[in-house]
């Protein structure tokens, strides 16, 4: 990419200089750094092209969150008011640069709870802060837009098919996945459709809720935003940032409530997003191992990805511990 052309398209300032190569890699694309006289910028180059209509809703939601005080990089639009631009055959989007640190599931649970509450408080009432941006997608309460990735099971047959393919191909993690098969199928009996719809981030893992160099927290990668149940998203956050520590569960839950968060985790169905999403992530990582692609070009990449699920699985016992702590009670020990 030509740095000067990129800076012109997004009105980023003069004296543009692009990093020699990508400075970060995610499952959806590569990130380059651009420095100009006006500051530093994160330039995201996605692996798969999208249309402007495909990204409008998520970008509007991130802009509304930024305007509401949620710590997130500011979206930078082109001089025509668009999110995406194509330069030298590459599709790009730009954000203000934030100095981030490595993912940390032990982030201060009080800070995490307050940030997630801030995201869940963003609603259709928030005006779009960017001229020409469409504020309507922020409400996103249309059930027809629900994504199966966040609430539908893989099903016993698909788990069996996946395990069989991996065992036949000699995947190094196939035995561990086979050992978890029954537990993963049983967990899918907890799934329920979202009950309270509003726009959610839908990807609040530690990779996207990151510590910053100045001691804060920053939420990135809003591309998967869309309609979901905030209680189900809060269930994901409690698993990711508290796991089996009841004290962290209570601290995060209380901070979320004190910050005005609308969600409550008080039944098994509130882990629906977690169970469905981790099931689909496992399927995607396993499929990538069987057939490497730009998202996971090396088998080591997909093995590490699926390892995130296998090394500390979301067992029924662990989720019951989280649930009881969120309710303010001790976990049951009768296996119910």
């Amino acid at each position: 990419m030509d740095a000067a052309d990129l800076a012109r398209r997004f009105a980023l300032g003069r004296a543009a200089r692009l990093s020699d190569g990508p400075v970060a890699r995610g499952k959806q694309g590569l990130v380059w750094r651009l420095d100009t006289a006006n500051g530093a910028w994160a330039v995201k180059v996605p692996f798969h092209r999208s249309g402007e209509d495909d990204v409008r809703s998520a970008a509007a939601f991130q802009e509304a969150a930024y305007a509401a005080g949620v710590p997130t990089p500011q979206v930078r639009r082109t001089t025509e008011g668009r999110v995406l631009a194509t330069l030298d055959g590459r599709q790009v989007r730009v954000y203000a640069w934030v100095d981030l640190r490595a993912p940390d599931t032990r982030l201060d649970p009080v800070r995490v709870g307050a940030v997630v509450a801030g995201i869940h408080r963003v609603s259709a009432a928030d005006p779009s802060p960017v001229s020409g941006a469409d504020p309507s997608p922020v409400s996103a309460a249309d059930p027809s837009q629900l994504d199966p990735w966040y609430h539908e099971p893989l099903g016993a047959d698909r788990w069996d098919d996946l395990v069989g393919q991996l065992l036949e191909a000699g995947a190094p993690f196939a035995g561990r996945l086979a050992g978890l098969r029954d537990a993963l199928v049983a967990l899918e009996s907890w799934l329920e459709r979202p009950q309270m719809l509003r726009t959610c981030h839908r990807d609040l893992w530690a990779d996207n809720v990151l510590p910053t160099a100045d001691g804060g927290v920053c939420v990135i990668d809003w591309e998967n935003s869309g309609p979901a149940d905030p209680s189900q998203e809060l269930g994901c956050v409690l698993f990711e940032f508290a796991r089996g520590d009841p004290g962290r569960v209570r601290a995060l839950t209380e901070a979320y409530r004190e910050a005005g968060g609308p969600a409550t985790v008080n039944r098994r169905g509130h882990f629906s997003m977690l169970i469905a999403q981790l099931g689909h992530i496992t399927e995607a990582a396993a499929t990538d191992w069987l057939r490497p692609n730009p998202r996971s070009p090396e088998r080591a990449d997909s093995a590490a990805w699926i390892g995130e699920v296998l090394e500390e699985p979301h067992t029924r016992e662990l989720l019951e511990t989280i649930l009881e702590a969120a309710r303010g009670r001790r976990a049951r020990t009768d296996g119910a």
Side-chain angles (χ1 to χ4, degrees), residues 92-111:
V92 301
R93 58 195 302 167
V94 176
Y95 303 91
W97 182 267
V98 178
D99 286 321
L100 303 172
R101 294 294 181 254
D104 182 6
T105 59
R106 302 299 293 177
L107 280 175
D108 178 3
V110 173
R111 191 182 295 270

Side-chain angles (χ1 to χ4, degrees), residues 83-214:
V83 177
L84 300 171
T86 300
L87 295 92
D88 300 328
R90 298 183 183 183
Q91 194 172 64
V92 301
R93 58 195 302 167
V94 176
Y95 303 91
W97 182 267
V98 178
D99 286 321
L100 303 172
R101 294 294 181 254
D104 182 6
T105 59
R106 302 299 293 177
L107 280 175
D108 178 3
V110 173
R111 191 182 295 270
V112 173
V115 167
V116 175
I119 295 171
H120 288 172
R121 291 180 62 192
V122 177
S123 71
D126 297 306
S128 174
V130 177
S131 176
D134 180 2
S136 62
V138 178
S139 61
D142 183 357
S144 68
Q145 297 181 18
L146 288 174
D147 190 331
W149 180 275
Y150 303 101
H151 69 91
E152 289 191 1
L154 259 64
D157 290 346
R158 178 54 179 154
W159 281 115
D160 289 341
D161 177 59
L162 202 60
V163 169
Q165 289 186 57
L166 293 169
L167 289 171
E168 184 177 354
F173 51 82
R176 282 190 293 167
L177 183 58
L180 284 173
R181 181 269 182 200
D182 290 349
L184 293 171
V185 172
L187 271 176
E188 290 182 340
S189 69
W190 291 17
L191 294 179
E192 63 180 37
R193 286 181 64 82
Q195 304 295 309
M196 177 175 62
L197 280 186
R198 64 193 307 152
T199 305
C200 293
H201 183 284
R202 301 197 306 192
D203 205 9
L204 292 176
W205 303 103
D207 290 345
N208 294 330
V209 183
L210 293 164
T212 60
D214 61 5

Side-chain angles (χ1 to χ4, degrees), residues 154 158-159 161-163 165-166 169 171 173-174 177 279-293 295-296 299 301-303 305-307 310:
L154 259 64
R158 178 54 179 154
W159 281 115
D161 177 59
L162 202 60
V163 169
Q165 289 186 57
L166 293 169
F173 51 82
L177 183 58
H280 291 294
I281 286 172
T282 301
E283 180 185 36
T287 302
D288 284 1
W289 190 92
L290 292 167
R291 292 182 290 277
N293 55 69
R295 180 175 61 191
S296 303
R299 279 184 160 174
D301 299 323
S302 45
W305 192 17
I306 201 169
L310 300 180

